[in-house]
Structures are given as C-alpha cells and as structure tokens.
Amino acid sequence: MTDRNEGYDEWIDALSEGAGYALVCPEGHGSLPPRRVCPECGASPLSEEPLPETGTVETYTVVHVPSPRFADDAPYVTAVARFGPIRLTGIVRGVDGDLEGVGDGDPVEVGTAVEAGVGERETDDGRIVVLRPVET
Amino acid sequence: MTEVRVAGVGLTRFGSHPERTGRDLFAEAADRAFADAGVERDDVGELNYGNFMGALAEHQGHQAPLMAEAAAVRCPATRYESACASAGVAVREAVRTVRSGEADVVLAGGMERMTNLDTEGATEGLAIAADDLFEVRAGVTFPGAYALMARAYFEAHGGDREDLAHVASKNHENALPNEYAQFRTAVSVEEALDSPPVAEPLHLYDACPITDGASALVLVSEEYAAENDVDAPVAVTGTGQGTDRMALADRADLASTPAAADAATAAYDDAGVGPADVDVAEVHDCFTIAEVLAVESLGFAEPGEGIAAARDGLTTADGDLPVNLSGGLKAKGHPVGATGGSQIAELTRLLRGDHPNSEHVPDADVGVAHNAGGTVASAVVHVLEVAE
Ligand SMILES: [Zn+2]
C-alpha cells in the first residue's frame, strides 16, 4: 500500500514551494498532471508552464456538511479560481491560515484575487490546495 | 431495427430501510416488474443492473450475479456504474441490446443501499463520484459541487435561492400522492428558504435525501410483445448519452451541463422528436439547481431562463410541461444506482395513465427522462412515447 500518486505528488510539491505549474499543449490548452496527452485535443508534448502569481475566484461555496476527511475543518470555503490556462479547486484560507469570518460574511466573492499554495487539513493533516485572498 | 417496449415496471418504496439488504430491495422491485409485465422470468435474456457504492455501503462487489439470483433469472448479468446515472446507462444498454436482436427481453434497473451508513459515510460515498485528486481533496462534497454550479449560475444569469425554493416546493407537492415517495409532505417556499445551509448557497431543502431503494424494468421487443400478448403500450423511442470533463473546474462553463445537452440531442434525433413535442419529463434534480440546468439542457428553456421555470409555472403539475410529477429525486428520493430506472418507471405509468399524477397529463404522448452522474460528467436521456 502506498499513498503516493506520481505526477500529482510532484505537482503539489511544486505548488507548496511557490512553483506551481500547468501542463500546456502546443494548442495552448491547460491541464493538470498526470497527463500523457492534452485531454482537450490529444496533442503532445505537454510543457510545464508556471502558474500566474494570482488567480481569480469564479465560484465558491461554504461547506457546512463535510466528508469525514474534513470533519474538523467545517465550515470551510471551497472555491474554483482561474489561473491562466487552468482552474484550481481549493480551500480558501485567510492570510493567517484560519477560517475566521466564515458564516457571517464570506471571506471571498466571485472576482476575488487569490494566490495558490498548499496547506493541511485540520482533521488529518492531509495536504490540500489552499487559495488565499491577496490585496490587489 | 425493432422497437423497444416497456412491458413492466417495479419499484420499492423509496425511503429509509437501513436494515434491508440490497439483494432484498432489488428482488422486490424485480418481482413487481414481472407481475406488472406478465412476462416469464425464463424469457429474460440479459440483466443490466445499476449500482454505485455497493462496495462501500455493503462491502459487496460483483453484484450482478447476486441480483440475478435475487430476481431468479439465469442469464448474462452485468453491473453498470456511472455514479448517479448507473441505472440510466444500464437501461440504455438494455435498449440497445433489444434493438440489436441480441435479446428479446432484458431486465434493467438498479439498487442503492445508503441509510445503513451514517451521514458522514454517505457523504464520503457520494463524494467519490468527483475527481479524487483535484476535487475531493479540496473539500468538494456532492452538495458542494452543485453549490459551486449554483453560484456560477447566479453570477452568469441572475436568480436566487427563492427561485430554487420554488423547485423544491413544486417537487414536494408532486410527491404527495406518490405511494413510492420518501417524503410525502408539503414544503412551502418559506420553509425551504429557512432550512439550514448544507453547502451555500444550497440549503437542506435544495438537496435530495439519502435513500434506499430499487427499480426494475422489463423491456421487450415489439415482436415479443405481440407474439406473447404482452400489454406494453409505451415504447422507448430514443436514447442518448453524453460525457464531459470529470472535474467541474475543467469545464468550459461552470453554469451549464453540455453532457446532458449532447445526450438530449442524440435521444431526440433517435426518436425523431424535439423539445417542443415533449409533454412530461422526469429530470435529475439531485439538487434544485440541477433541475434548472436539466430544463435548459433538454431545450425546455433558454440558457438563463430555466431558473424561472418552476416559479413561473411552466414546470408545475398544471403547467405546460410538468417536470418531476413523481416528486423527483428531491422528494421521491434518490437511491443513486436505482434512480435512472425509477424515472422511466414513473414516466411509463404517467404515459399509461395509471400514475396517481396522470390526471395532470391526460393527453401526454411523449415523455423524457434525464439521468445525470456526478456533476453531469455523465448524462443519459431517454424518450418514451405512447405506441398504442
Ligand atoms: Zn490541447
């Protein structure tokens, strides 16, 4: 038994070091690893292109009923944000890494600028994509 | 190509039966379908069975032979899994099997046992229909995914929670006379609005319940029905299926469901009908926003206008195009792997005139069933027509 997922693990390692990337095909379609060909058009090779420093929230939800892996994290905010050729789905956290304000005024809106990094679930320390609002 | 007829339909009461085994649930639905059809079990050439999370819920893989035993049929038996569209794809393959002449009689349907798990277990089970690496690990639950779509829809087209509450209220009203429905209680728009949040902007009454249940259909060829004096007045005249990128974030648009539109186009073309011909529909309203997206994908409303369909009365029982007269997943319940079969069972009864809500569609000739998997990465649409 292994918890490793080749391709994904290297990608989230890079994201945690501030070096997140998208895979981009010769036609310019973005995707996330592991990929052998572009899922949109089947083209290859795919190059690793750095993600823009900030992305834009396109939609979000405040989750009150979690799955067991997020039992101690709820309520929490999951958002989908556009970063250049791809979107990322992540947990929104404030600059302090907490969820203060959730439930009485959302910490994000559609259009909020965010940066992407990696944090840990409170429930089991599992690694998660974290989106943090940034001043623009 | 032979025409496919619905010879018989069978359902369990949908609801909370935590101690009943999956094999017993499916056996009950199959028993009712055979009784309704008047078809001999020996004549069944294939069993197509839908199930999503049986490995988690009952620690039971390889369910198809188990269900063949439960239904007392001895024939090729296969389990189909496409999340909440599992029974939809099982029925679709049954239609194709009968059309091809491979079998004259196919038993199709599905089963899900869910309430033996606690809420967390069921939430985890449902979440595995999403992309594990890029969605589930980011906290996306099943309601959460649809909440992301609802927020995107509001941003793109307007609309609000009150519009969605009208969908919930309508479907609860429709379930009142349905003896198979999990909830036979009226819910007002105000009650729906006041319910607690699950994944904002969706609240408790925007969501379908956790449900145990099974569905079964006996599908036969037109020739078999004629030769055996089987009364099967409803035909499946169109079938279509669509696929989209697995993760919501990878889709071109977060506020529409093109897999369902693709499935609908294929099913309409197959049947030679269009959205304007449809008299009644059962759609996959696992959440209220899902009904909105379905109504648009099926061509009943333009993009951005489906949100008003329930509020304005288009899709209510006395509207021009009643949607979810069964109560829908919302009030009738959503035993995931059974749902696609139950929609066709309900539509068949509505078209035959023996459904408690048939009075609302006395002249209906064409019905549509829309069954979706995950966040509509999978979609199946069927067209049913009164043939006799
Ligand atoms: Zn490409």
Side-chain angles (χ1 to χ4, degrees):
Chain A
M1 177 80 190
T2 176
D3 292 331
R4 275 192 52 74
N5 290 292
E6 272 183 25
Y8 173 81
D9 282 1
E10 287 77 6
W11 177 81
I12 202 165
D13 286 346
L15 188 65
S16 72
E17 291 156 8
Y21 54 87
L23 303 179
V24 180
C25 84
E27 301 297 318
H29 303 127
S31 60
L32 295 168
R35 297 280 174 196
R36 288 171 184 258
V37 298
C38 171
E40 280 300 317
C41 70
S44 63
L46 305 178
S47 61
E48 294 183 2
E49 304 289 339
L51 292 179
E53 284 194 9
T54 60
T56 307
V57 170
E58 293 192 0
T59 187
Y60 68 97
T61 176
V62 185
V63 176
H64 294 265
V65 180
S67 67
R69 278 192 276 188
F70 286 87
D72 298 339
D73 295 74
Y76 60 88
V77 178
T78 288
V80 175
R82 164 70 64 184
F83 286 83
I86 56 150
R87 296 193 193 94
L88 289 179
T89 306
I91 302 280
V92 177
R93 289 196 172 153
V95 284
D96 299 329
D98 61 28
L99 282 166
E100 206 160 325
V102 171
D104 45 66
D106 297 340
V108 290
E109 298 292 340
V110 172
T112 297
V114 290
E115 57 184 22
V118 174
E120 291 181 349
R121 281 194 292 269
E122 291 177 29
T123 310
D124 64 357
D125 298 338
R127 289 199 298 179
I128 50 174
V129 174
V130 168
L131 303 171
R132 295 179 196 279
V134 294
E135 298 290 326
T136 49
Chain B
M1 187 173 72
T2 186
E3 187 170 82
V4 180
R5 297 291 182 85
V6 185
V9 302
L11 300 173
T12 65
R13 168 103 195 245
F14 283 10
S16 181
H17 317 293
E19 293 168 8
R20 288 186 63 184
T21 59
R23 63 191 86 183
D24 178 55
L25 290 167
F26 188 72
E28 182 188 348
D31 217 32
R32 289 207 169 122
F34 282 119
D36 187 41
V39 166
E40 295 297 324
R41 292 168 196 258
D42 282 351
D43 287 351
V44 175
E46 291 198 18
L47 167 62
N48 289 5
Y49 166 78
N51 175 261
F52 171 51
M53 52 191 278
L56 289 172
E58 290 198 286
H59 197 70
Q60 184 65 65
H62 203 191
Q63 291 199 3
L66 191 66
M67 298 308 166
E69 279 178 33
V73 295
R74 186 69 66 90
C75 59
T78 309
R79 171 190 161 195
Y80 289 82
E81 191 272 305
S82 278
C84 317
S86 296
V89 296
V91 170
R92 174 171 156 75
E93 291 309 315
V95 168
R96 291 167 13 137
T97 298
V98 173
R99 280 179 173 179
S100 74
E102 284 284 322
D104 279 325
V105 181
V106 178
L107 179 63
M111 183 286 298
E112 210 71 60
R113 182 182 182 188
M114 303 176 76
T115 71
N116 58 324
L117 301 172
D118 57 17
T119 300
E120 282 199 338
T123 301
E124 175 80 347
L126 290 168
I128 67 172
D131 182 329
D132 184 64
L133 292 180
F134 291 102
E135 294 189 302
V136 181
R137 288 173 190 230
V140 175
T141 59
F142 189 39
Y146 276 90
L148 292 168
M149 297 168 87
R151 178 98 57 195
Y153 187 98
F154 292 163
E155 284 290 323
H157 301 299
D160 56 27
R161 284 194 54 225
E162 189 167 342
D163 295 319
L164 297 181
H166 278 275
V167 176
S169 182
K170 167 180 75 71
N171 291 351
H172 275 271
E173 183 78 20
N174 288 344
L176 291 176
N178 187 349
E179 70 272 32
Y180 293 104
Q182 183 163 5
F183 295 134
R184 300 178 68 182
T185 46
V187 171
S188 68
V189 169
E190 292 70 29
E191 285 171 296
L193 285 170
D194 287 344
S195 62
V198 174
E200 295 175 59
L202 301 181
H203 287 234
L204 186 62
Y205 279 122
D206 289 301
C208 65
I210 304 289
T211 308
D212 307 305
S215 64
L217 312 171
V218 178
L219 300 181
V220 302
S221 65
E222 185 181 9
E223 294 77 12
Y224 176 94
E227 285 164 14
N228 294 276
D229 282 328
V230 174
D231 184 30
V234 174
V236 183
T237 57
T239 179
Q241 185 171 349
T243 300
D244 204 342
R245 294 289 296 275
M246 176 78 163
L248 190 58
D250 292 335
R251 313 241 177 101
D253 177 19
L254 303 175
S256 63
T257 53
D262 291 348
T265 300
Y268 288 142
D269 288 352
D270 193 24
V273 302
D277 299 314
V278 178
D279 301 308
V280 59
E282 288 287 313
V283 310
H284 197 95
D285 60 328
C286 48
F287 298 92
T288 49
I289 185 67
E291 178 168 314
V292 173
L293 297 169
V295 161
E296 293 181 3
S297 296
L298 292 167
F300 304 151
E302 293 296 314
E305 293 176 10
I307 187 76
R311 188 192 65 206
D312 292 350
L314 171 69
T315 53
T316 52
D318 54 2
D320 287 344
L321 177 52
V323 169
N324 285 329
L325 280 173
S326 68
L329 285 59
K330 178 70 201 72
K332 186 192 167 196
H334 182 28
V336 171
T339 287
S342 78
Q343 294 175 316
I344 291 176
E346 297 280 356
L347 265 187
T348 299
R349 294 180 67 208
L350 284 161
L351 292 173
R352 289 194 311 209
D354 63 331
H355 191 285
N357 275 328
S358 284
E359 63 186 83
H360 297 294
V361 285
D363 303 318
D365 289 319
V366 181
V368 161
H370 159 283
N371 186 203
T375 49
V376 202
S378 295
V380 184
V381 172
H382 283 103
V383 177
L384 274 63
E385 295 185 67
V386 178
E388 290 171 10

